[in-house]
Amino acid sequence: CPGCESSKLAFWFRLCLNPQRNTPEVRHAVATIIGASFITFCFGWYAIHVFILVLACYGIMIKSNVNIKFTLSSLIFSPLMIITQKITTLAFQVHDGMCRKQEELKDDQRRLAVHSKPSLLEYLSYNINFLSILVGPCSIYKDYIEFIKGQHVQHRLKRVKDSSSQQNGWDKVPEPSPVRAVINKLLVCACCLLWFFIITKAFPITYNVDPQFISEASFITRLAYALISVQAARPKFYFAWTLADAIHNAAGYGVSGVNERGEVSWDLISNVRIWEIETATSFKSFIDSWNIQTALWLKSVCYDRAPYYRMPLTFVLSAIWHGVYPGYYFTFITAIPITLAARSVRRNFREYFLSSPLLKICYDVVTWAATQLTVCYTVMPFLLLAVEPTMQYYRSMYFHVHVISILTLILLPSKPSSFKSEIQALHSNNNVKED
């Protein structure tokens, strides 16, 4: 399978095309040629569309003042999801570095800005290298170029040394081996694959809209089955993203620094945090741990740049990026009022449950259950895809999450006064009266 071949090639790339013994041009060329071979093998003649699109966007970038609007609009109609992310990411970063004043940029934009247009070889390598051409993830252009040049690991570890007096000499040690990280991630992949064959197939998503099941089962039974079937569907995403992460690590790419135990962390381009997803106590924390690199891309190209309606526009862009199935739009449009309602509930009530450990535990349990049920309701159209089964499911659930979210936004104040602030104000007023 392509994933297995990518893993083998990634180890070969790290060991045999080591940057200390090979020039960046050689590494760029090999990564590009293998990536082009992969997409030709997988897509046949359709691969021509990939090459034409990538080269056309490079021409736009070189000949114009990085016309981002044209580049993004030309990619909206493309199913090439990862290449869409990469080209638009690079276009914005070149635009930030060459067309905008530094004082206009946010800190992240200033750090990631690219101050010269990439060569054709660098551009092709970044977009169609064999590590990420099939399932991604999208990575930062500067990080990828550092990896090709052999500077990635040392630069990442040197930042730790510069920012902490407790970690010394990280830029002097030999390059760390990714073998342990790769093995751990491959074991996770094996577990996900086992879960898929045993559990996922036993709880098909389509049974949620089976007419007999809807008519005979109680609301609680249907709710429970929906929760189980959606959670059973997650491991296929865990598998693909974790395997992609392991492939990058096998090539020596993915060091983010060191963890709290002083060990090298290989999670720079990780796309999923499984434990954080399964234990999420808020809609936001779930989203932040799911498809992480896509979330960072959406933040970079939309959320941080939109002058208004940032959150709704980001969800709409996410739907467009995913494709043309109506279920995607149902999911991401539904997520807008849910996100706003979740923020409002958290602002209004969370502080009242922080006064004791027991209350905090109760709050966490309730919010965990609410988060998992809400996510289940929200992503069901994403898995059902079509309009008819989506509406059938929503009707069977009485649109309860939509109704609750809208009522929450109507009834709860958007900017609640803090309980602590009220107590402090009362105490202050009492002091004034005494004076």
Side-chain angles (χ1 to χ4, degrees):
C1 70
C4 298
E5 293 302 318
S6 295
S7 300
K8 297 175 184 177
L9 286 170
F11 275 118
W12 171 81
F13 191 80
R14 182 175 70 89
L15 297 173
C16 298
L17 288 180
N18 191 289
Q20 279 72 43
R21 297 191 298 269
N22 297 272
T23 65
E25 288 75 19
V26 170
R27 283 166 59 85
H28 277 306
V30 172
T32 303
I33 291 170
I34 297 175
S37 301
F38 274 12
I39 55 177
T40 302
F41 174 78
C42 291
F43 303 116
W45 285 105
Y46 185 74
I48 294 176
H49 174 65
V50 178
F51 302 134
I52 292 175
L53 185 67
V54 170
L55 291 172
C57 288
Y58 182 73
I60 295 170
M61 183 182 298
I62 294 300
K63 297 298 183 181
S64 68
N65 289 324
V66 197
N67 192 329
I68 297 169
K69 291 182 180 179
F70 182 85
T71 305
L72 184 57
S73 62
S74 67
L75 290 168
I76 284 174
F77 303 100
S78 167
L80 308 174
M81 301 170 75
I82 301 302
I83 287 181
T84 298
Q85 287 187 4
K86 288 186 174 183
I87 292 178
T88 51
T89 296
L90 179 56
F92 274 111
Q93 290 170 355
V94 172
H95 179 74
D96 289 341
M98 300 184 65
C99 303
R100 297 180 65 190
K101 297 178 180 179
Q102 291 300 297
E103 56 269 21
E104 297 175 352
L105 303 177
K106 297 181 179 179
D107 290 340
D108 283 346
Q109 294 170 350
R110 192 177 300 109
R111 177 175 58 85
L112 300 177
V114 177
H115 299 284
S116 62
K117 294 180 181 179
S119 68
L120 178 60
L121 181 59
E122 290 172 333
Y123 173 84
L124 291 175
S125 176
Y126 173 64
N127 281 287
I128 62 175
N129 69 81
F130 72 97
L131 299 173
S132 60
I133 187 60
L134 296 180
V135 294
C138 174
S139 60
I140 301 301
Y141 175 76
K142 279 187 171 181
D143 288 337
Y144 179 77
I145 295 300
E146 285 185 355
F147 156 68
I148 290 294
K149 292 181 177 179
Q151 302 169 348
H152 162 67
V153 174
Q154 299 300 337
H155 280 191
R156 284 281 162 179
L157 297 181
K158 186 176 185 299
R159 291 175 195 174
V160 176
K161 174 180 179 289
D162 292 341
S163 61
S164 174
S165 60
Q166 296 179 346
Q167 302 290 347
N168 293 313
W170 280 107
D171 57 332
K172 304 297 183 183
V173 299
E175 182 173 319
S177 171
V179 172
R180 182 176 179 180
V182 172
I183 291 175
N184 288 339
K185 290 173 183 179
L186 291 179
L187 288 175
V188 171
C189 290
C191 292
C192 291
L193 203 59
L194 188 64
W195 178 277
F196 176 80
F197 285 117
I198 296 175
I199 305 297
T200 304
K201 292 194 173 183
F203 296 95
I205 286 291
T206 53
Y207 192 61
N208 285 283
V209 293
D210 181 81
Q212 184 177 357
F213 176 66
I214 293 174
S215 62
E216 295 180 358
S218 66
F219 176 77
I220 297 299
T221 301
R222 286 183 276 118
L223 196 65
Y225 183 85
L227 178 63
I228 295 171
S229 61
V230 168
Q231 289 185 313
R234 289 177 195 165
K236 64 183 179 182
F237 298 100
Y238 295 163
F239 172 83
W241 290 332
T242 305
L243 179 59
D245 195 12
I247 290 170
H248 283 78
N249 293 168
Y253 186 23
V255 171
S256 61
V258 296
N259 58 27
E260 62 276 2
R261 298 187 300 273
E263 301 169 342
V264 175
S265 295
W266 291 85
D267 61 356
L268 178 67
I269 51 176
S270 294
N271 222 10
V272 65
R273 292 191 288 264
I274 298 175
W275 177 254
E276 284 77 0
I277 286 172
E278 300 298 339
T279 60
T281 58
S282 71
F283 199 70
K284 182 182 184 301
S285 61
F286 185 100
I287 293 174
D288 288 345
S289 300
W290 177 272
N291 206 353
I292 298 168
Q293 301 307 318
T294 294
L296 292 175
W297 169 71
L298 290 168
K299 180 178 183 295
S300 172
V301 304
C302 184
Y303 190 85
D304 286 344
R305 299 174 190 273
Y308 41 77
Y309 304 124
R310 296 189 300 171
M311 189 267 290
L313 288 174
T314 301
F315 277 123
V316 171
L317 176 59
S318 182
I320 294 171
W321 174 77
H322 274 88
V324 297
Y325 284 109
Y328 299 153
Y329 294 84
F330 276 107
T331 288
F332 291 106
I333 292 174
T334 297
I336 296 172
I338 291 175
T339 301
L340 294 172
R343 288 178 182 176
S344 182
V345 169
R346 184 178 179 86
R347 284 197 302 259
N348 279 276
F349 296 109
R350 185 174 183 270
E351 64 177 323
Y352 297 102
F353 293 89
L354 301 179
S355 57
S356 74
L358 180 60
L359 282 176
K360 179 64 166 60
I361 291 173
C362 293
Y363 176 83
D364 288 342
V365 170
V366 171
T367 52
W368 172 82
T371 297
Q372 298 301 324
L373 290 170
T374 301
V375 167
C376 164
Y377 180 93
T378 306
V379 304
M380 187 65 73
F382 190 96
L383 300 171
L384 294 172
L385 298 177
V387 174
E388 185 177 349
T390 294
M391 295 307 298
Q392 192 174 0
Y393 172 75
Y394 278 158
R395 284 193 297 267
S396 72
M397 292 286 109
Y398 312 114
F399 294 89
H400 70 282
V401 175
H402 285 93
V403 173
I404 293 172
S405 298
I406 293 171
L407 288 177
T408 298
L409 292 173
I410 294 172
L411 298 176
L412 289 182
S414 59
K415 294 182 179 180
S417 58
S418 170
F419 176 75
K420 293 181 179 179
S421 299
E422 291 176 359
I423 295 297
Q424 290 173 356
L426 180 62
H427 179 70
S428 176
N429 290 337
N430 290 337
N431 289 341
V432 170
K433 290 179 181 178
E434 291 173 2
D435 292 341

